Amino acid sequence: IFLIMFREPIAHAYSLRSQHIRFSEMQKVDPSITFYMNLLGHHEFGENSLPFIYEPNQFISFNQYRKHDINYWLSQWILTYEWILKKVEKGSCQVITVCYELMCSSPQYCDMICDYLEVPRKIMKSKFCIGKSNSIAIDELNMNNFLLTRAELIYESLVNMASRHVI
């Protein structure tokens, strides 16, 4: 069984973008960071970042946005979680989706996940909390409405799937 935690798409895309900007700035100051990240095969963020490609035709959608644009990271979120949903719906993998926002707001949700997995509840007693990025005004991010609507539908499907596992 694989546990896949997901976050609300705007907050997650904002966080991914922030990490990308942070790594890009560090790599400009210290090029050895780029060398080290390449050596490790970490291409998630920074000057040497590469998109995750799950299907042959997906690369096209990443060419529309620069990596400092929130829409690039929202597209990455959409493609990633769409791919996961397809795999789970096909039954090609045994996955339990876990909603980060529910982990933050409901200790009972954590307990239900532990019960479902038949593991001691104390395993999930770490503190989950929602960061300040959730308070960002959507208007300020200049998000593509089509991407936003698509991401919200995927998020809703993930939440429904996550609820089925613990009820």
Side-chain angles (χ1 to χ4, degrees):
I1 295 178
F2 291 95
L3 297 180
I4 297 179
M5 187 175 284
F6 62 94
R7 290 180 65 187
E8 186 279 326
I10 297 169
H12 199 169
Y14 184 82
S15 176
L16 292 169
R17 179 180 163 265
S18 296
Q19 288 300 318
H20 171 71
I21 291 169
R22 183 173 162 254
F23 272 91
S24 295
E25 289 170 355
M26 288 188 314
Q27 289 170 335
K28 285 176 187 169
V29 173
D30 184 356
S32 68
I33 295 172
T34 303
F35 173 79
Y36 183 68
M37 297 300 277
N38 284 336
L39 185 67
L40 294 175
H42 279 286
H43 301 284
E44 297 90 347
F45 307 110
E47 298 298 306
N48 60 330
S49 66
L50 299 170
F52 289 103
I53 306 294
Y54 304 101
E55 305 290 339
N57 61 348
Q58 283 181 338
F59 190 74
I60 296 165
S61 65
F62 288 104
N63 292 333
Q64 295 177 45
Y65 303 106
R66 292 179 45 236
K67 292 179 184 173
H68 281 53
D69 186 334
I70 190 78
N71 292 300
Y72 174 89
W73 297 101
L74 187 58
S75 296
Q76 183 70 72
W77 188 97
I78 288 168
L79 294 174
T80 299
Y81 288 104
E82 254 181 356
W83 183 78
I84 290 168
L85 281 174
K86 286 177 191 173
K87 293 293 182 187
V88 172
E89 288 168 359
K90 284 182 183 176
S92 55
C93 55
Q94 210 175 356
V95 168
I96 295 174
T97 54
V98 178
C99 180
Y100 178 77
E101 287 74 24
L102 286 174
M103 294 288 286
C104 294
S105 64
S106 172
Q108 296 84 5
Y109 180 72
C110 296
D111 289 344
M112 288 187 289
I113 290 170
C114 288
D115 293 346
Y116 181 82
L117 295 171
E118 299 176 0
V119 297
R121 289 181 175 185
K122 65 182 176 184
I123 287 176
M124 297 277 247
K125 292 302 178 194
S126 65
K127 303 276 184 202
F128 288 91
C129 64
I130 296 175
K132 60 185 173 190
S133 63
N134 276 352
S135 62
I136 300 296
I138 294 174
D139 320 358
E140 295 173 21
L141 296 175
N142 196 24
M143 299 186 85
N144 177 301
N145 286 330
F146 174 76
L147 292 177
L148 191 54
T149 300
R150 191 167 157 197
E152 288 169 349
L153 290 171
I154 294 166
Y155 180 73
E156 186 178 311
S157 295
L158 289 165
V159 170
N160 289 335
M161 185 181 292
S163 299
R164 284 194 305 257
H165 292 298
V166 294
I167 294 176

